[in-house]
Amino acid sequence: MTSLLSDEQKQDFVKRGFSRRTFGRLGALLGASAALPFYNESALAQLSSIGRIPDDAVKINANENPLGPCPEAAEAIHNVVRKGGRYLYEETFDFAKTLAEQSGVKPTYVDPYAGSSDPLHYAVLAFCSPSKPLVAGDPGYEAGARAAKFINAPVIQVPLTKTYAHDVKAMATAHATPGLIYICNPNNPTGTITPRADIEWIVANKPEGTVILLDEAYIHLSTEPFATDLVARDKDVIILRTFSKLYGMAGLRAGAAIGRPDLIAKLKSFRGGALPVTGMVGAHASLKVKTLVAERRKIIGDIREDTLSWLAKNNYEFVPSVSNKFMLNVHRPGQEVVKAMAAKNVYIGRVWPSWPTHVRVTVGTRDEMEKFKKALSEVMA
Ligand code: PLP
C-alpha cells in the first residue's frame, strides 16, 4: 500500500501516538485522492432521510439557503466558466485578500477551501490524536467527531448549558490535553449563541497547547460579533467560515480557515491542489456586496420569527434560535416525526441521540414554511 504522507507527516503521526495502521490508512486515502469518509451537512442530512429526496419536496433538512448565490456571485461565476480550462490560482488569492481585509487580518492568515468541511476535518487530523481528544458541545455538529473517530482520537461531548450555550468552563476542564476544543457559534443544531465573553474566557483559560476551533458557519445569520480579532491578536484560535449558508453557495463550494500562519499551515499539509474557480469568484463577488449580509439576515430572520411565533401560538415547544434552523421538541421519538413529515413530502432535519425527542428544522422560504406548518399540524394531530 503506497502512502502519500510525507516523511515529516509520518514522523508527526508517530510522535502523536498514532498506530502505523491508522496513518497508513490515512496516507492510502489521501494517495487515492479519495474523499475522506467523513460527513458534511448534506451527507448527514441524506443519511437521516429516506432514500432520494423528490425534486418537488420541501427540503428543510440540511441548513441550506434556498435564496442561492446573490446575483453578483452568479454573474461572476457565469463569466468565469469559459476560462475554466485554467487553474486561475490568482482568483483564490484575490478572494483570500479581500476576506483578510474585511476580517482585519493579514492575507497570510486566510486559507481558502472549497467549503469549510475540509478544514474542519483537517484540523482534527492535524491537532487530535489518541492522547489529544476532541472536545465538543452536545448537541453539536457531528463532522469533527466523525473525523476524530476515524483516527481513533477520543471525543468528549460536553452538554450545552441551560441557555444552550457551550459550557466553556466544563469544556476547558474536560481533559488535560485536548487537541481541539470545537465551538460552533451560533451552534448547529440549536441555532443558539455562546456569548463573546465566554469565548474570550475559554481562549484565555484553555489548556496550553490546545487549539480553539471556532466554527462561524452561521455567524452571518446572527448579530454576534465575528471573532477574527482573536486571530489578529495571534491567539490559539482557528476560525472556520463557509459560503454555504447565508451566501447560498453550498453546491458551489467556498470557505476558509482563518488563523495564525503556523496553525493553518498544519491544515494545509493535508489538502490537494487548485480550488474550484467558480466557488472562489462567487465568494469574492459576494463579499463585495456590502448590503448582502444584513439583507439576507433579515429575510431569513423574518421567516424564522414568523415560524417560531406560529409554533408558540400552537403550543409547540422549541429552542429559540438566531440562525437558519431550530430544534423542535415533538415529545415522541423524533425519527417517527421525521418519517411522517417525509411521507407528506416535507423533509426536515435529523435527530441527535442526546435529544431524542427533538427534530432540527431548517428555515426555508415562506412558501416552504407554510407547507411545513400544515404538514406538522397533520402529523402531530
Ligand atoms: N460547520 C457547520 C457547523 C456546518 O453546519 C456545516 C454544514 O452544514 C459545515 C461546517 C460544513 O459546510 P460546508 O462544507 O458546506 O462549508
Side-chain angles (χ1 to χ4, degrees), residues 71-239:
E72 291 81 354
E75 196 188 337
I77 291 165
H78 186 80
N79 291 341
V80 89
V81 165
R82 285 184 186 282
K83 300 183 201 157
R86 300 197 181 274
Y87 291 111
L88 299 177
Y89 291 109
E90 55 278 17
E91 298 293 351
T92 298
F93 301 147
D94 290 349
F95 158 58
K97 190 164 169 280
T98 299
L99 183 56
E101 274 164 18
Q102 294 186 358
S103 307
V105 298
K106 296 182 200 127
T108 48
Y109 284 53
V110 174
D111 194 18
Y113 284 91
S116 60
S117 295
D118 284 353
L120 169 52
H121 297 146
Y122 298 161
V124 173
L125 303 186
F127 295 104
C128 296
S129 72
S131 59
K132 288 181 167 285
L134 171 75
V135 177
D138 185 32
Y141 184 54
E142 313 94 318
R146 285 178 186 256
K149 282 180 188 148
F150 183 75
I151 57 166
N152 293 325
V155 177
I156 302 175
Q157 289 183 306
V158 178
L160 301 180
T161 65
K162 284 201 177 66
T163 56
Y164 310 105
H166 284 77
D167 189 340
V168 290
K169 300 247 152 90
M171 290 177 100
T173 52
H175 192 270
T177 60
L180 285 177
I181 297 178
Y182 173 70
I183 295 179
C184 184
N185 198 34
N187 190 39
N188 181 11
T190 52
T192 48
I193 288 298
T194 297
R196 166 69 191 213
D198 287 359
I199 291 171
E200 282 181 22
W201 184 90
I202 199 164
V203 170
N205 292 284
K206 69 180 178 57
E208 214 186 310
T210 300
V211 172
I212 306 291
L213 185 62
L214 205 47
D215 190 335
E216 292 189 341
Y218 300 92
I219 193 89
H220 310 90
L221 291 149
S222 75
T223 50
E224 283 301 292
F226 300 152
T228 30
D229 58 308
L230 297 172
V231 170
R233 284 190 269 137
D234 283 336
K235 301 291 180 195
D236 293 337
V237 173
I238 297 176
I239 292 179

Side-chain angles (χ1 to χ4, degrees), residues 39-42 44 62-64 114-120 140-143 182 184-188 215-218 240-245 249-251 253-255 325 350 360:
Y39 294 89
N40 58 19
E41 183 59 54
S42 60
L44 289 161
N63 296 347
E64 293 158 336
S116 60
S117 295
D118 284 353
L120 169 52
Y141 184 54
E142 313 94 318
Y182 173 70
C184 184
N185 198 34
N187 190 39
N188 181 11
D215 190 335
E216 292 189 341
Y218 300 92
L240 299 178
R241 289 282 177 77
T242 182
F243 286 75
S244 298
K245 305 303 169 187
M249 289 182 40
R253 312 305 294 146
K325 73 274 185 194
R350 57 190 180 277
R360 192 192 65 192

